[in-house]
Structures are given as C-alpha cells and as structure tokens.
Amino acid sequence: MTPSVSKSGAGYTVRTDRTVLRPWQQSDLDPFAELNVDAEVMRYFESALTSEQSNRLARCFIAHFETRGFGFWALEIPGVTSFAGFVGLAEISFAAAFTPAVEIGWRLARPLWGHGYATEAARGAARFGFDVLRLAEIVAYAVPSNVRSRIVMDRIGMLRDPAADFEHPAVPAGHPLRRHVLYRLKAPT
Ligand SMILES: CC(C)(COP(=O)(O)OP(=O)(O)OC[C@H]1O[C@@H](n2cnc3c(N)ncnc32)[C@H](O)[C@@H]1OP(=O)(O)O)[C@@H](O)C(=O)NCCC(=O)NCCS
C-alpha cells in the first residue's frame, strides 16, 4: 500500500496500513522516557537515558522538524497505542566518509516489537524520503550485533556497503559499540 502523506502546521504526517508517523506531542515525553530507560531497548547504545536526557533528545528531534521540515516522527499504532516510539529520517550530524546523508532510524518500546510495525513504518518513511524530499539515497547504520535493526534494514530493501563500515565518532575510541555497519537504499528509478 502507498503511504498517505498530509501536512499541518506542526509538520508532515505519514500513514501506512497500521501505523501513523506524526509530529511529536508533549504527551509523548513520558512514554519516550520509559522506553529510553529500558536496558533491552538501549542494549546497543552506550547507556540507557535518564528522563532529562530523553526529553533533550525529543527536543532535538522536534528542532530537526522545525528547521528541516522532517525528522524522526513519533510513531502511533491506532487502536494499540498513541506512542510506540519513533521512526523517521534525519540528517546525519557527524562527519563520515558517507556524509552528508539522510539516515533512517527506529526505536520502539519493547512490548511493540515482533509485530512488523517498525518495518511497515520504515517503508512509509523511506517512501516519504524519496517521493516528497526527493532524496537520491537513504542510509542506516547499526552496531554489527544489532541483528533486529539490521533485519529491518534488509526487509526494507537496504543493502550493506561493507566498504563504508565506520567508527562512530560519538562513541569513545576502544568502546565495543564504536564499530558500525552501513546500509544504503537508493531511490527507485
Ligand atoms: C530495531 C527494532 C525497531 C526492530 O523491532 P522488530 O519488532 O524486530 O521489527 P518489526 O517491528 O519490523 O517486527 C518484525 C517481527 O514482527 C513479526 N510480525 C508479526 N506480525 C507481523 C505482521 N503483521 N507484519 C510483519 N511482521 C510481523 C515478524 O515476523 C518479525 O518477527 P521476528 O522478530 O520473530 O522475526 C527494535 O528491536 C528496537 O526498537 N530496538 C531497540 C532500538 C534500536 O536498537 N534501534 C536501532 C538502532 S540502529
């Protein structure tokens, strides 16, 4: 199904069969902090987040929407939950061999894993990136052991570019989570 896109003052909303990618609301902050403190959700990050760090991250996402008109959307699953996590697109803020680039990313609360929501919403976000933003390419990255995330990349048709594996500059040298693999998705021709 082709996702539907609408625009309001707060930004774009993308709807797929079961998911809604929508602008952030104040009421998302508490459930966002809840998922960011969950050790299983944050297993492939340096640490879980305090609620202050979580709120700061949400503010960064909102600022990205305000300056670029797109970003990591709040993910709603109608009939299930008004906030499942985030899925979306963002300009990569660090320098690497593959930047400047727009990345696709996702993070869902643990009870919402295993339903295909991340993959479905990511397909909608990628389609938005190509149809509305006219991107030529979208990238994604993960630590090699983050298999669930890499499977979402595979499922949406991304291809790993082994030559572009990199050390994440925000992770300290020598840290086991510093090495990342890079995936690419080209715009359909
Ligand atoms: C990465 C992440 C979003 C993936 O979540 P996920 O639940 O594995 O992925 P999906 O939502 O696409 O669900 C796929 C699963 O739903 C199942 N599924 C059930 N009903 C389905 C349906 N109707 N349609 C499609 N899949 C369905 C699939 O078979 C698959 O099951 P499996 O896990 O047994 O293989 C999640 O693990 C997460 O938030 N991780 C923490 C944050 C993180 O690491 N982010 C990425 C950083 S790089």
Side-chain angles (χ1 to χ4, degrees):
M1 173 221 174
T2 306
S4 73
V5 176
S6 55
K7 197 177 182 190
S8 70
Y12 286 102
T13 293
V14 178
R15 287 185 172 78
T16 70
D17 280 345
R18 297 180 299 164
T19 76
V20 181
L21 298 114
R22 58 155 177 80
W24 287 73
Q25 300 166 355
Q26 187 66 29
S27 56
D28 299 327
L29 296 187
D30 284 351
F32 189 44
E34 232 172 85
L35 76 85
N36 282 323
V37 83
D38 181 331
E40 199 178 353
V41 172
M42 298 305 285
R43 178 168 168 198
Y44 299 104
F45 298 87
E46 276 182 87
S47 64
L49 303 185
T50 63
S51 57
E52 211 167 89
Q53 289 169 322
S54 175
N55 291 345
R56 207 175 308 137
L57 184 60
R59 281 199 296 274
C60 281
F61 292 172
I62 293 164
H64 192 288
F65 271 95
E66 287 167 356
T67 55
R68 277 91 157 182
F70 67 96
F72 286 134
W73 284 276
L75 179 67
E76 187 167 329
I77 317 288
V80 177
T81 179
S82 58
F83 182 82
F86 71 79
V87 173
L89 302 168
E91 276 173 15
I92 293 181
S93 58
F94 56 84
F98 55 86
T99 63
V102 169
E103 66 165 309
I104 188 163
W106 34 72
R107 189 180 303 172
L108 269 59
R110 183 65 190 89
L112 282 313
W113 298 7
H115 298 274
Y117 297 138
T119 299
E120 182 177 322
R123 285 201 179 106
R127 186 71 188 257
F128 173 92
F130 295 132
D131 291 357
V132 179
L133 302 178
R134 298 279 163 200
L135 299 173
E137 183 184 65
I138 295 170
V139 303
Y141 55 85
V143 298
S145 52
N146 192 347
V147 174
R148 275 187 173 268
S149 188
R150 293 180 64 177
I151 289 176
V152 175
M153 294 171 199
D154 290 335
R155 283 203 191 99
I156 68 171
M158 301 191 89
L159 293 177
R160 179 166 175 214
D161 176 1
D165 285 2
F166 68 106
E167 308 283 315
H168 198 303
V171 182
H175 193 287
L177 297 176
R178 190 156 199 249
R179 190 86 185 145
H180 281 68
V181 290
L182 187 90
Y183 283 68
R184 298 180 187 271
L185 184 63
K186 304 272 182 217
T189 45

